[in-house]
């Protein structure tokens, strides 16, 4: 009975953590990610997105943002790699339509847990929040995304 109780306690703690991630204002359902890569996998039970050796992934915005409008992004996860990533907003053709967030490239993103918040301002209509490798010819080597929240400013 003690072993089962411990397992139940662990499962309840994980469930509470998942519910807390979804309870954050602007929480994005990580299962809605889009990518052409087979190396990005959503774990529904752990409620996390594993990103390995891929160039990019994106999340649809709840509604488009127009030129001059901004969003604040809160993103948490675990960095298991060395390359890091950069972020911005894009249109349906993945055209860059905002300023860039570049503070998570290479050594700027320490190994282990990360918790970042940044603002992106649209330069034209944007419909996706976009996460990309640190340069055009590289890959995001290994991160786990635990949560993404997007607030419309």
């Amino acid at each position: 009975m003690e072993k089962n109780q411990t397992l139940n306690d662990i499962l309840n703690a994980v469930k509470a953590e998942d519910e807390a991630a979804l309870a954050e204002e602007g929480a994005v359902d990580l299962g809605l990610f889009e990518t052409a890569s087979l190396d990005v996998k959503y774990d529904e039970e752990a409620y996390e997105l594993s990103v390995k050796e891929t160039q990019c992934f994106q999340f649809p915005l709840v509604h488009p943002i127009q030129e001059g409008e901004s969003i604040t992004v809160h993103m948490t996860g675990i960095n298991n790699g060395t390359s890091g990533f950069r972020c911005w907003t894009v249109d349906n053709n993945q055209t860059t339509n905002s300023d860039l967030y570049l503070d998570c490239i290479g050594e700027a993103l320490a190994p282990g847990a990360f918790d970042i918040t940044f603002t992106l301002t649209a330069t034209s209509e944007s419909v996706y929040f976009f996460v990309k490798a640190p340069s055009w010819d590289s890959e995001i080597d290994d991160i786990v995304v635990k949560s993404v929240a997007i607030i419309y400013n």
Side-chain angles (χ1 to χ4, degrees):
M1 182 70 170
E2 190 174 308
K3 232 181 198 178
N4 286 340
Q5 185 61 41
T6 303
L7 180 58
N8 285 334
D9 290 342
I10 292 169
L11 291 173
N12 287 334
V14 168
K15 182 179 177 186
E17 186 177 298
D18 292 348
E19 288 172 354
L22 285 173
E24 182 177 1
E25 183 182 358
V28 173
D29 180 349
L30 298 181
L32 297 177
F33 79 95
E34 297 176 12
T35 186
S37 172
L38 298 176
D39 295 316
V40 179
K41 302 202 183 322
Y42 175 63
D43 183 334
E44 191 171 327
E45 288 182 21
Y47 190 72
E48 62 187 26
L49 193 62
S50 173
V51 182
K52 294 183 179 181
E53 300 176 3
T54 192
Q55 290 186 342
C56 63
F57 61 99
Q58 63 190 20
F59 296 98
L61 296 174
V62 172
H63 60 79
I65 58 172
Q66 305 301 319
E67 180 179 352
E69 295 179 337
S70 64
I71 56 173
T72 298
V73 179
H74 179 219
M75 189 173 179
T76 65
I78 301 169
N79 178 28
N80 297 312
T82 58
S83 68
F85 56 90
R86 52 200 171 127
C87 306
W88 58 87
T89 64
V90 297
D91 63 14
N92 284 318
N93 297 314
Q94 292 184 339
T95 302
T96 302
N97 285 344
S98 72
D99 52 337
L100 307 179
Y101 179 73
L102 303 172
D103 291 349
C104 285
I105 296 175
E107 293 177 3
L109 183 63
F114 64 85
D115 186 332
I116 56 175
T117 302
F118 52 93
T119 299
L120 300 172
T121 302
T123 55
S124 60
E125 184 178 74
S126 299
V127 294
Y128 289 98
F129 168 61
F130 190 68
V131 182
K132 180 111 169 86
S135 64
W136 70 270
D137 61 344
S138 65
E139 295 180 331
I140 301 169
D141 55 359
D142 190 356
I143 64 169
V144 176
V145 178
K146 295 284 201 176
S147 68
V148 175
I150 298 174
I151 304 298
Y152 295 79
N153 300 323

